[in-house]
Every structure is written in structure tokens, then in C-alpha cells.
Amino acid sequence: LTVTLPRAGNITGGGFMLVYLAKENRSIFIDFREKAPALATRDMFLDKDGNIDTNKARFSILSTGVPGTVYGLELARKKYGTMSYKELVKPAYLLAKNGIKVTYDLHDSLLKAAPQLLKDKEASTIFYKSNGKVYPINSTLKQKKLAKTLKTLIQFGPKSFYTGRIADKMIRFMEHNKGIMTHQDLKNYTAIERDPIITSFNGYMVYTAPPPSSGGL
């Protein structure tokens, strides 16, 4: 998803996973959502009049959470998976390196995000042509820097994301752009296993996401 659906899935984001273990006939829920950096404060997204600054809350460097995706997926793989880490990351690496076909959905999402993303030098060079235009439907989009990051994960494992060279790059970016996430924030990140919400409906047992997800409810 990091490579093919950047608007929804990202290694610098987080998420939830509901796992059904067939042999044990039980379900577990893995919470690997992003967490606030230790230096975050209650009023950090308020303007001088005490009102919410939605632009600051959504698009500024301060809105960056400590990423959980890499940690959560590795927790799931280690405890419940059957394949090696390299096997699982390699397909994403090859897609980023060799390119993906731009679908209507990807084209449309980049078109809508252009007013925001084109302000960022890094994002504009990855997702848009040199003239600022969106890559056409059915054209090929290559993401060389993402491929390099995924290759580092293949070579050095998920620890490199939290305490290694990827972590170093993220924190350098934070420091350069007045962000508040630190090495310690990355080092301290952990995912949490929770019990799913279980209920019945029309004769079926339903297993769904507990808080902090609002989707299950």
C-alpha cells in the first residue's frame, strides 16, 4: 500500500489489524496506530485566539505521529506469520523500483492533493512531472527513494526504521524542519495487542475492532 496506494497506506503511518487464528479458533487485535511525540502538548494546534488551526493540525510538521506500521506488521509476522521479512518486503521494493501503472484512483487522488503536495519540493518531484502535471492514467510511476528505503528494510530489518539509518534520516528531517519527534520517540514505540469486540448478529458471531478504533463500533 505504501507503493501503490500512498493516500491510504504508508510505512510512516499506522493502523489496526484483526487476526483470526483458525487452529485456535480465536481472534486478536493489533493496535499499531501512530503515537504523539513526547514533546507534544495539549494546545499545540490552537491559534493565538485559542481556536483550532486545522491547517496546522493536518498539514504541518507538528502533525506527524510516531509511525507504527513497520513495528505492527513485524509483530504480526513474528507471532503469527509463516514467511520471512525479506520475502514480504521484496515485492513492494520491486514495485517501487520498477514502477507501477498509474490507475484512475491514483491519478485522481494526486490531482486532488496537488494544491498541497506541490508546495513540498520532495513530494512534487516524486508524484508529479517536472511541469507540475499529474502522471497520466496507465503511465508508469517509479519511486526510487522509496525503493531505497524498502531495500534498507530488506537488508537491515525493521529495527533500522526505529533505531538505524532510516530513523536517523527521519530525525534529521524533523530537526531541519522544526519538528518535535525524536530518536527516543522512535525507540520507545510499541504496538499493543487488544481483545476484539465480540457480538452476535443474525446468528453469526461478529469480531470487530475495539477502541481506539471507531470503525468497529
Side-chain angles (χ1 to χ4, degrees):
L1 289 178
T2 294
V3 181
T4 61
L5 197 67
R7 66 177 172 80
N10 228 291
I11 56 172
T12 51
F16 301 119
M17 184 187 293
L18 185 62
V19 182
Y20 174 63
L21 304 171
K23 287 182 181 178
E24 302 173 36
N25 190 30
R26 71 181 181 96
S27 291
I28 56 104
F29 183 81
I30 304 173
D31 170 2
F32 53 96
R33 279 304 299 268
E34 308 92 322
K35 296 183 181 181
L39 291 175
T41 62
R42 186 188 63 175
D43 299 335
M44 63 193 286
F45 298 127
L46 301 182
D47 62 19
K48 57 182 174 58
D49 298 318
N51 299 313
I52 296 172
D53 183 336
T54 53
N55 195 60
K56 194 176 183 182
R58 292 182 64 198
F59 301 119
S60 76
I61 192 80
L62 293 176
S63 66
T64 307
V66 184
T69 296
V70 173
Y71 193 108
L73 294 181
E74 173 60 356
L75 173 67
R77 184 201 71 81
K78 236 175 170 179
K79 290 192 74 172
Y80 309 109
T82 58
M83 297 169 69
S84 73
Y85 188 76
K86 290 181 180 179
E87 283 178 293
L88 292 170
V89 180
K90 190 177 178 182
Y93 160 68
L94 292 174
L95 283 172
K97 180 186 175 187
N98 300 326
I100 58 168
K101 189 198 279 191
V102 176
T103 61
Y104 170 80
D105 178 79
L106 178 57
H107 175 85
D108 185 57
S109 70
L110 290 174
L111 201 61
K112 289 173 180 172
Q116 189 64 37
L117 290 182
L118 286 173
K119 294 176 187 175
D120 186 277
K121 183 182 176 183
E122 196 74 29
S124 62
T125 57
I126 295 169
F127 293 115
Y128 301 90
K129 293 183 154 192
S130 55
N131 61 2
K133 297 290 184 183
V134 181
Y135 283 92
I137 296 167
N138 292 326
S139 64
T140 300
L141 173 65
K142 294 182 180 181
Q143 300 171 71
K144 292 180 180 178
K145 288 189 176 181
L146 178 56
K148 190 177 178 183
T149 300
L150 292 168
K151 190 175 182 181
T152 300
L153 284 172
I154 290 171
Q155 291 174 321
F156 301 100
K159 283 186 178 179
S160 63
F161 191 88
Y162 291 95
T163 57
R165 57 183 66 188
I166 300 174
D168 291 340
K169 283 186 177 182
M170 281 194 285
I171 300 308
R172 275 201 300 272
F173 180 84
M174 283 284 148
E175 291 170 348
H176 184 71
N177 291 280
K178 298 180 180 177
I180 58 173
M181 190 168 72
T182 66
H183 276 291
Q184 199 61 41
D185 288 321
L186 288 170
K187 190 177 179 181
N188 289 345
Y189 185 87
T190 54
I192 303 167
E193 285 196 43
R194 304 184 186 277
D195 293 325
I197 291 175
I198 305 172
T199 186
S200 59
F201 179 76
N202 281 357
Y204 292 94
M205 292 302 296
V206 179
Y207 293 76
T208 190
S213 170
S214 58
L217 294 172

